[in-house]
Amino acid sequence: MAARVDIGFWFPALALGVSFLKCLFINAYHSTDFEVHRNWLAITHSLPVSRWYHENTSEWTLDYPPLFAWFEFGLSHVAQHFDRNMLQVENLNYASPSTVLFQRLSVIFTDVVFIYAAKECCRCVQEQKGSRDVLNRPSFVLAVLLLWNFGLLIVDHIHFQYNGFLFGVLLLSVAKHLQSQHLQGALLFAILLNLKHIYLYVAPAYGIYLLRSYCFTQDNKDGSIRWMSFSPLRLLALGSIVVSVCALSFGPFIAMGQLPQVLSRLFPFKRGLCHAYWAPNIWALYNVLDKGLAVLGVRLKLLEEAELPRASMTGGLVQEFQHSVLLSVSPSATLVCTLLSILPAVASIWLRPCGARGFLRCLLLCALGSFMFGWHVHEKAVLIAILPLSILAVESREDARIFLVLTTTGHYSLFPLLFTPTALRKLHSGQGPLLRPLEVVYLLGLVVVAIACEVVFPLSPWQQRLPFLPLLATSVYCSVGVCYSFLRLYVRLLQRDDKPKQL
């Protein structure tokens, strides 16, 4: 077991500093998600539980699992002391100064969960012996990467959401597994799934890891599973945790016969393959390839333009569409692709367990595999991989290199990540350049993309005819970096000589 990391004065200073910074964003721009959550406050406060998942006065209907609905219900009882009018369902797009203040403060306050989780993660990393410089301490760098993550600052405190609170539960669950407190980790993840179902992305990593490394208590000398070591009591304990949390969350709606209605809200497959702002994943490349083949086919007179489906996929709208040349992609096809992409990762931790850090690598690959191949993926979902990868990045030079590529490309559509490269270079100094030449060229290419999208494009005649082109170019370029990071993480997982540090 590693020695417990001493969290000194610097952690409270970092946490308070970023909290004060968040306060400066209170009057900043906010997106439609601000109205989404105001509407959910109104629904859960003003209507009986039986109507929560049926209410559709606003287009922003309740589509998170029941535990998050109860979370909004709790917030609404504080919100009524700021402005009761925000809790009226019919007050669409209501944003009084008191409403804005409350909602902004609610995100800052619930980020306490994320701060605590970051502290626990910092206690789990291996410190370098003899290092007195705080800037060379992995725990300090990890605290900076987590607490000052630009993606979270922009998505939660400008755009407006509660990802910090949710990621806090995820990171706390990961920390509990790193500390060998597996039942607590399982409980936290079960709660997380019932707060936001997007974390189903990483559920296979949890399921296989706990079954293999917790329910089976011993291995053979060659590392293979010892079947006789299976513990029914441990499996029963895990099952009881999952069933209890799900029963608490979904039980009332099952009793009211509303489970199908709740599930239809949670999984709205009619929204289409891609989000309005394409996530930088494989489907962005697939869409562009289809469009390119269609244009080429028309120019070579192999295709008739009038017979091609309308190119709605580049219109920036959330909707279903048909590809012109390539096969159109269905939800079931994306599910198969996702499962195939994560299969080697979950097979690896079953056949060759590498402790909690092996689980963490599998979690990252499940998150990225789902991001790469999932249905209607939001660009913000890349944070599910970026934040946990921070833990590995401060301990391993190779993981730090992957992290730099992934975090820069993943965050580019949100905000440039300014200080992370400097911190990681200092931490892993003395071994030559952290990035390879081609990786440097690729990341510098983001500057070219930014200039083309923000300077050249607005002055071009394409601005009126192809308004979605900058978003398309950004998504496609960044998808290359995300794909590269995904493959590099797989190489790291499958390296036979990789001996992770054990806690």
PDB file of all heavy atoms in Angstrom, residues 319-342:
ATOM      1  N   GLN A 319     -31.984  15.998 -35.657  1.00  0.00           N
ATOM      2  CA  GLN A 319     -33.019  15.274 -36.367  1.00  0.00           C
ATOM      3  C   GLN A 319     -32.417  14.025 -36.999  1.00  0.00           C
ATOM      4  O   GLN A 319     -31.215  13.854 -37.072  1.00  0.00           O
ATOM      5  CB  GLN A 319     -33.621  16.145 -37.470  1.00  0.00           C
ATOM      6  CG  GLN A 319     -32.589  16.630 -38.488  1.00  0.00           C
ATOM      7  CD  GLN A 319     -33.180  17.582 -39.490  1.00  0.00           C
ATOM      8  OE1 GLN A 319     -34.375  17.539 -39.763  1.00  0.00           O
ATOM      9  NE2 GLN A 319     -32.364  18.444 -40.048  1.00  0.00           N
ATOM     10  N   GLU A 320     -33.302  13.124 -37.441  1.00  0.00           N
ATOM     11  CA  GLU A 320     -32.851  11.957 -38.170  1.00  0.00           C
ATOM     12  C   GLU A 320     -32.579  12.342 -39.619  1.00  0.00           C
ATOM     13  O   GLU A 320     -33.210  13.254 -40.166  1.00  0.00           O
ATOM     14  CB  GLU A 320     -33.916  10.863 -38.122  1.00  0.00           C
ATOM     15  CG  GLU A 320     -34.161  10.299 -36.724  1.00  0.00           C
ATOM     16  CD  GLU A 320     -35.178   9.188 -36.739  1.00  0.00           C
ATOM     17  OE1 GLU A 320     -36.367   9.483 -36.909  1.00  0.00           O
ATOM     18  OE2 GLU A 320     -34.785   8.018 -36.588  1.00  0.00           O
ATOM     19  N   PHE A 321     -31.655  11.651 -40.247  1.00  0.00           N
ATOM     20  CA  PHE A 321     -31.378  11.910 -41.652  1.00  0.00           C
ATOM     21  C   PHE A 321     -30.834  10.650 -42.302  1.00  0.00           C
ATOM     22  O   PHE A 321     -30.382   9.723 -41.627  1.00  0.00           O
ATOM     23  CB  PHE A 321     -30.381  13.073 -41.826  1.00  0.00           C
ATOM     24  CG  PHE A 321     -29.052  12.850 -41.176  1.00  0.00           C
ATOM     25  CD1 PHE A 321     -28.060  12.097 -41.791  1.00  0.00           C
ATOM     26  CD2 PHE A 321     -28.783  13.399 -39.927  1.00  0.00           C
ATOM     27  CE1 PHE A 321     -26.837  11.889 -41.184  1.00  0.00           C
ATOM     28  CE2 PHE A 321     -27.550  13.189 -39.321  1.00  0.00           C
ATOM     29  CZ  PHE A 321     -26.583  12.439 -39.952  1.00  0.00           C
ATOM     30  N   GLN A 322     -30.906  10.592 -43.608  1.00  0.00           N
ATOM     31  CA  GLN A 322     -30.398   9.477 -44.389  1.00  0.00           C
ATOM     32  C   GLN A 322     -29.084   9.876 -45.044  1.00  0.00           C
ATOM     33  O   GLN A 322     -28.956  10.982 -45.568  1.00  0.00           O
ATOM     34  CB  GLN A 322     -31.412   9.087 -45.472  1.00  0.00           C
ATOM     35  CG  GLN A 322     -32.751   8.604 -44.944  1.00  0.00           C
ATOM     36  CD  GLN A 322     -32.619   7.302 -44.178  1.00  0.00           C
ATOM     37  OE1 GLN A 322     -31.941   6.379 -44.634  1.00  0.00           O
ATOM     38  NE2 GLN A 322     -33.262   7.223 -43.025  1.00  0.00           N
ATOM     39  N   HIS A 323     -28.100   8.980 -44.998  1.00  0.00           N
ATOM     40  CA  HIS A 323     -26.856   9.241 -45.707  1.00  0.00           C
ATOM     41  C   HIS A 323     -27.080   9.070 -47.202  1.00  0.00           C
ATOM     42  O   HIS A 323     -27.977   8.343 -47.642  1.00  0.00           O
ATOM     43  CB  HIS A 323     -25.756   8.298 -45.216  1.00  0.00           C
ATOM     44  CG  HIS A 323     -25.281   8.607 -43.833  1.00  0.00           C
ATOM     45  ND1 HIS A 323     -25.878   8.096 -42.709  1.00  0.00           N
ATOM     46  CD2 HIS A 323     -24.271   9.401 -43.396  1.00  0.00           C
ATOM     47  CE1 HIS A 323     -25.252   8.547 -41.629  1.00  0.00           C
ATOM     48  NE2 HIS A 323     -24.269   9.343 -42.017  1.00  0.00           N
ATOM     49  N   SER A 324     -26.263   9.763 -47.976  1.00  0.00           N
ATOM     50  CA  SER A 324     -26.462   9.782 -49.431  1.00  0.00           C
ATOM     51  C   SER A 324     -25.852   8.575 -50.123  1.00  0.00           C
ATOM     52  O   SER A 324     -26.459   7.993 -51.025  1.00  0.00           O
ATOM     53  CB  SER A 324     -25.847  11.066 -50.016  1.00  0.00           C
ATOM     54  OG  SER A 324     -26.440  12.209 -49.436  1.00  0.00           O
ATOM     55  N   VAL A 325     -24.640   8.179 -49.736  1.00  0.00           N
ATOM     56  CA  VAL A 325     -23.929   7.088 -50.407  1.00  0.00           C
ATOM     57  C   VAL A 325     -23.697   5.923 -49.458  1.00  0.00           C
ATOM     58  O   VAL A 325     -23.999   4.771 -49.783  1.00  0.00           O
ATOM     59  CB  VAL A 325     -22.584   7.589 -50.965  1.00  0.00           C
ATOM     60  CG1 VAL A 325     -21.819   6.449 -51.628  1.00  0.00           C
ATOM     61  CG2 VAL A 325     -22.804   8.734 -51.947  1.00  0.00           C
ATOM     62  N   LEU A 326     -23.143   6.203 -48.299  1.00  0.00           N
ATOM     63  CA  LEU A 326     -22.873   5.158 -47.320  1.00  0.00           C
ATOM     64  C   LEU A 326     -24.160   4.692 -46.651  1.00  0.00           C
ATOM     65  O   LEU A 326     -25.197   5.359 -46.734  1.00  0.00           O
ATOM     66  CB  LEU A 326     -21.908   5.681 -46.261  1.00  0.00           C
ATOM     67  CG  LEU A 326     -20.546   6.172 -46.771  1.00  0.00           C
ATOM     68  CD1 LEU A 326     -19.726   6.718 -45.618  1.00  0.00           C
ATOM     69  CD2 LEU A 326     -19.799   5.049 -47.484  1.00  0.00           C
ATOM     70  N   LEU A 327     -24.090   3.545 -46.013  1.00  0.00           N
ATOM     71  CA  LEU A 327     -25.251   3.014 -45.309  1.00  0.00           C
ATOM     72  C   LEU A 327     -25.665   3.951 -44.182  1.00  0.00           C
ATOM     73  O   LEU A 327     -24.817   4.456 -43.442  1.00  0.00           O
ATOM     74  CB  LEU A 327     -24.930   1.639 -44.732  1.00  0.00           C
ATOM     75  CG  LEU A 327     -24.698   0.501 -45.744  1.00  0.00           C
ATOM     76  CD1 LEU A 327     -24.272  -0.763 -45.004  1.00  0.00           C
ATOM     77  CD2 LEU A 327     -25.946   0.249 -46.562  1.00  0.00           C
ATOM     78  N   SER A 328     -26.953   4.209 -44.047  1.00  0.00           N
ATOM     79  CA  SER A 328     -27.432   5.013 -42.929  1.00  0.00           C
ATOM     80  C   SER A 328     -27.283   4.217 -41.639  1.00  0.00           C
ATOM     81  O   SER A 328     -27.396   2.990 -41.628  1.00  0.00           O
ATOM     82  CB  SER A 328     -28.892   5.411 -43.145  1.00  0.00           C
ATOM     83  OG  SER A 328     -28.994   6.312 -44.228  1.00  0.00           O
ATOM     84  N   VAL A 329     -27.029   4.926 -40.558  1.00  0.00           N
ATOM     85  CA  VAL A 329     -26.692   4.289 -39.283  1.00  0.00           C
ATOM     86  C   VAL A 329     -27.898   4.307 -38.364  1.00  0.00           C
ATOM     87  O   VAL A 329     -28.517   5.355 -38.144  1.00  0.00           O
ATOM     88  CB  VAL A 329     -25.505   5.012 -38.611  1.00  0.00           C
ATOM     89  CG1 VAL A 329     -25.130   4.322 -37.305  1.00  0.00           C
ATOM     90  CG2 VAL A 329     -24.309   5.044 -39.559  1.00  0.00           C
ATOM     91  N   SER A 330     -28.233   3.156 -37.803  1.00  0.00           N
ATOM     92  CA  SER A 330     -29.364   3.022 -36.883  1.00  0.00           C
ATOM     93  C   SER A 330     -28.867   2.984 -35.441  1.00  0.00           C
ATOM     94  O   SER A 330     -27.677   2.730 -35.191  1.00  0.00           O
ATOM     95  CB  SER A 330     -30.136   1.742 -37.187  1.00  0.00           C
ATOM     96  OG  SER A 330     -29.322   0.611 -36.915  1.00  0.00           O
ATOM     97  N   PRO A 331     -29.753   3.203 -34.456  1.00  0.00           N
ATOM     98  CA  PRO A 331     -29.332   3.095 -33.050  1.00  0.00           C
ATOM     99  C   PRO A 331     -28.744   1.726 -32.720  1.00  0.00           C
ATOM    100  O   PRO A 331     -27.768   1.630 -31.981  1.00  0.00           O
ATOM    101  CB  PRO A 331     -30.627   3.359 -32.288  1.00  0.00           C
ATOM    102  CG  PRO A 331     -31.448   4.199 -33.203  1.00  0.00           C
ATOM    103  CD  PRO A 331     -31.135   3.710 -34.586  1.00  0.00           C
ATOM    104  N   SER A 332     -29.331   0.665 -33.278  1.00  0.00           N
ATOM    105  CA  SER A 332     -28.810  -0.679 -32.992  1.00  0.00           C
ATOM    106  C   SER A 332     -27.407  -0.855 -33.561  1.00  0.00           C
ATOM    107  O   SER A 332     -26.561  -1.535 -32.960  1.00  0.00           O
ATOM    108  CB  SER A 332     -29.747  -1.738 -33.564  1.00  0.00           C
ATOM    109  OG  SER A 332     -29.918  -1.570 -34.959  1.00  0.00           O
ATOM    110  N   ALA A 333     -27.144  -0.237 -34.717  1.00  0.00           N
ATOM    111  CA  ALA A 333     -25.800  -0.331 -35.305  1.00  0.00           C
ATOM    112  C   ALA A 333     -24.768   0.374 -34.427  1.00  0.00           C
ATOM    113  O   ALA A 333     -23.654  -0.128 -34.249  1.00  0.00           O
ATOM    114  CB  ALA A 333     -25.799   0.273 -36.705  1.00  0.00           C
ATOM    115  N   THR A 334     -25.140   1.524 -33.889  1.00  0.00           N
ATOM    116  CA  THR A 334     -24.199   2.222 -32.999  1.00  0.00           C
ATOM    117  C   THR A 334     -23.956   1.420 -31.727  1.00  0.00           C
ATOM    118  O   THR A 334     -22.841   1.418 -31.193  1.00  0.00           O
ATOM    119  CB  THR A 334     -24.706   3.627 -32.627  1.00  0.00           C
ATOM    120  OG1 THR A 334     -25.934   3.514 -31.890  1.00  0.00           O
ATOM    121  CG2 THR A 334     -24.947   4.466 -33.873  1.00  0.00           C
ATOM    122  N   LEU A 335     -24.986   0.717 -31.251  1.00  0.00           N
ATOM    123  CA  LEU A 335     -24.824  -0.125 -30.060  1.00  0.00           C
ATOM    124  C   LEU A 335     -23.838  -1.254 -30.327  1.00  0.00           C
ATOM    125  O   LEU A 335     -22.945  -1.527 -29.508  1.00  0.00           O
ATOM    126  CB  LEU A 335     -26.173  -0.680 -29.618  1.00  0.00           C
ATOM    127  CG  LEU A 335     -26.139  -1.646 -28.428  1.00  0.00           C
ATOM    128  CD1 LEU A 335     -25.581  -0.963 -27.186  1.00  0.00           C
ATOM    129  CD2 LEU A 335     -27.528  -2.217 -28.165  1.00  0.00           C
ATOM    130  N   VAL A 336     -23.976  -1.910 -31.488  1.00  0.00           N
ATOM    131  CA  VAL A 336     -23.065  -2.999 -31.846  1.00  0.00           C
ATOM    132  C   VAL A 336     -21.638  -2.475 -31.969  1.00  0.00           C
ATOM    133  O   VAL A 336     -20.682  -3.085 -31.459  1.00  0.00           O
ATOM    134  CB  VAL A 336     -23.516  -3.679 -33.157  1.00  0.00           C
ATOM    135  CG1 VAL A 336     -22.452  -4.659 -33.645  1.00  0.00           C
ATOM    136  CG2 VAL A 336     -24.838  -4.403 -32.952  1.00  0.00           C
ATOM    137  N   CYS A 337     -21.473  -1.334 -32.644  1.00  0.00           N
ATOM    138  CA  CYS A 337     -20.136  -0.751 -32.796  1.00  0.00           C
ATOM    139  C   CYS A 337     -19.519  -0.399 -31.449  1.00  0.00           C
ATOM    140  O   CYS A 337     -18.320  -0.613 -31.220  1.00  0.00           O
ATOM    141  CB  CYS A 337     -20.200   0.487 -33.683  1.00  0.00           C
ATOM    142  SG  CYS A 337     -20.564   0.150 -35.424  1.00  0.00           S
ATOM    143  N   THR A 338     -20.331   0.144 -30.563  1.00  0.00           N
ATOM    144  CA  THR A 338     -19.840   0.510 -29.230  1.00  0.00           C
ATOM    145  C   THR A 338     -19.390  -0.722 -28.458  1.00  0.00           C
ATOM    146  O   THR A 338     -18.308  -0.740 -27.849  1.00  0.00           O
ATOM    147  CB  THR A 338     -20.924   1.260 -28.444  1.00  0.00           C
ATOM    148  OG1 THR A 338     -21.297   2.450 -29.153  1.00  0.00           O
ATOM    149  CG2 THR A 338     -20.437   1.638 -27.061  1.00  0.00           C
ATOM    150  N   LEU A 339     -20.213  -1.758 -28.475  1.00  0.00           N
ATOM    151  CA  LEU A 339     -19.867  -2.978 -27.747  1.00  0.00           C
ATOM    152  C   LEU A 339     -18.593  -3.613 -28.301  1.00  0.00           C
ATOM    153  O   LEU A 339     -17.739  -4.085 -27.539  1.00  0.00           O
ATOM    154  CB  LEU A 339     -21.031  -3.976 -27.810  1.00  0.00           C
ATOM    155  CG  LEU A 339     -22.301  -3.566 -27.048  1.00  0.00           C
ATOM    156  CD1 LEU A 339     -23.405  -4.597 -27.257  1.00  0.00           C
ATOM    157  CD2 LEU A 339     -22.014  -3.396 -25.564  1.00  0.00           C
ATOM    158  N   LEU A 340     -18.453  -3.614 -29.619  1.00  0.00           N
ATOM    159  CA  LEU A 340     -17.241  -4.172 -30.218  1.00  0.00           C
ATOM    160  C   LEU A 340     -16.010  -3.346 -29.848  1.00  0.00           C
ATOM    161  O   LEU A 340     -14.920  -3.893 -29.657  1.00  0.00           O
ATOM    162  CB  LEU A 340     -17.391  -4.240 -31.742  1.00  0.00           C
ATOM    163  CG  LEU A 340     -18.384  -5.276 -32.281  1.00  0.00           C
ATOM    164  CD1 LEU A 340     -18.516  -5.152 -33.791  1.00  0.00           C
ATOM    165  CD2 LEU A 340     -17.955  -6.694 -31.892  1.00  0.00           C
ATOM    166  N   SER A 341     -16.183  -2.032 -29.725  1.00  0.00           N
ATOM    167  CA  SER A 341     -15.035  -1.166 -29.419  1.00  0.00           C
ATOM    168  C   SER A 341     -14.541  -1.338 -27.993  1.00  0.00           C
ATOM    169  O   SER A 341     -13.361  -1.121 -27.705  1.00  0.00           O
ATOM    170  CB  SER A 341     -15.402   0.300 -29.675  1.00  0.00           C
ATOM    171  OG  SER A 341     -16.267   0.803 -28.669  1.00  0.00           O
ATOM    172  N   ILE A 342     -15.429  -1.703 -27.069  1.00  0.00           N
ATOM    173  CA  ILE A 342     -15.020  -1.848 -25.671  1.00  0.00           C
ATOM    174  C   ILE A 342     -14.740  -3.297 -25.286  1.00  0.00           C
ATOM    175  O   ILE A 342     -14.198  -3.551 -24.209  1.00  0.00           O
ATOM    176  CB  ILE A 342     -16.081  -1.255 -24.714  1.00  0.00           C
ATOM    177  CG1 ILE A 342     -17.361  -2.090 -24.726  1.00  0.00           C
ATOM    178  CG2 ILE A 342     -16.366   0.196 -25.066  1.00  0.00           C
ATOM    179  CD1 ILE A 342     -18.387  -1.651 -23.706  1.00  0.00           C
TER     180      ILE A 342
END
